Amino acid sequence: MINIVLFGPPGSGKGTQAQHLIEKFNLKQISTGDLFRYNIKNETELGKLAKSYIDKGELVPDQVTIDMLTDELRKPSNTNGFIFDGFPRTIAQTEALEKIVRQELNSEISICLSLVVDDEILVQRLIKRGETSGRTDDSDVEIIRNRIKEYYAKTAEVAELYKKQGKYAEVIGVGNISEISEKLFAEVEKIK
Ligand code: ADP
């Protein structure tokens, strides 16, 4: 299996690049952001809870997120591997993911691919996305800045864990989208 953690701050292009990686390597994407938005749209209890955090630009509590991801991973699927997009976002989630992947898939995380983008570019991208996405967390600069703050406070350190395991690669996430994809593909080819 190839199991990829796609990593980077909000607005770094994880969703876009996940699509390209899925097609190239025949993987299944699990996006915790998309799962939360699906639950919010369907007004589930999980959705209501998640919304109260997401609308402030805060992270949803670890256990809620971990349980949701575990349920998703247990669904039967025929795939070469998974792309985790937007997860893990904390050290606790990173440790939980390692355990779940071992228990449920009898596998491990192959690599953490990190998209690097300057903060001011992130803010610009998210404001622009907010004009069409309808996402409440893209609609306000203060919320956007809080998401980036949460990233540095809680998420950035996740990279250190993968670096220590020698499972980490950075790609600059600014420039031509296909060229960025090619660089990501090359990192995956190295570990295949
Ligand atoms: P972005 O990468 O643009 O911030 P996402 O769609 O990945 O967007 O996430 C949107 C929001 O959903 C986050 O700001 C956070 O509130 C919540 N969320 C998504 N994934 C997680 C996670 N792994 N842990 C906690 N909260 C999460």
Side-chain angles (χ1 to χ4, degrees), residues 77-183:
S77 68
N78 218 331
T79 175
N80 286 343
F82 290 86
I83 297 188
F84 298 96
D85 164 5
F87 187 99
R89 265 174 150 99
T90 63
I91 299 290
Q93 291 182 14
T94 311
E95 288 164 354
L97 181 63
E98 197 178 319
K99 218 162 106 189
I100 305 163
V101 168
R102 201 183 320 120
Q103 283 173 357
E104 301 296 326
L105 307 175
N106 197 16
S107 188
E108 56 180 46
I109 296 300
S110 318
I111 191 165
C112 170
L113 296 175
S114 175
L115 289 165
V116 180
V117 179
D118 187 76
D119 288 356
E120 285 316 307
I121 298 178
L122 296 173
V123 175
Q124 285 168 23
R125 283 184 183 178
L126 292 169
I127 291 173
K128 187 140 188 290
R129 185 171 80 184
E131 291 168 7
T132 53
S133 70
R135 276 178 57 166
T136 45
D137 59 346
D138 284 346
S139 64
D140 180 295
V141 179
E142 285 314 306
I143 300 173
I144 290 172
R145 291 209 183 271
N146 200 40
R147 284 158 64 198
I148 296 173
K149 207 174 107 203
E150 285 275 88
Y151 173 80
Y152 287 108
K154 297 175 184 163
T155 306
E157 60 186 356
V158 165
E160 300 305 318
L161 295 185
Y162 290 112
K163 268 185 211 166
K164 268 191 214 148
Q165 297 177 20
K167 292 180 178 178
Y168 181 81
E170 275 183 1
V171 165
I172 304 288
V174 186
N176 183 291
I177 290 179
S178 318
E179 284 173 16
I180 297 168
S181 302
E182 290 300 329
K183 287 182 194 152

Side-chain angles (χ1 to χ4, degrees), residues 10-11 14 32-34 36-37 54 58-60 65 86-87 89 93 126 129 135 137 147:
K14 298 188 293 287
T32 42
D34 286 350
F36 284 133
R37 282 186 288 278
I54 292 175
E58 291 171 8
L59 294 185
V60 178
T65 312
F87 187 99
R89 265 174 150 99
Q93 291 182 14
L126 292 169
R129 185 171 80 184
R135 276 178 57 166
D137 59 346
R147 284 158 64 198

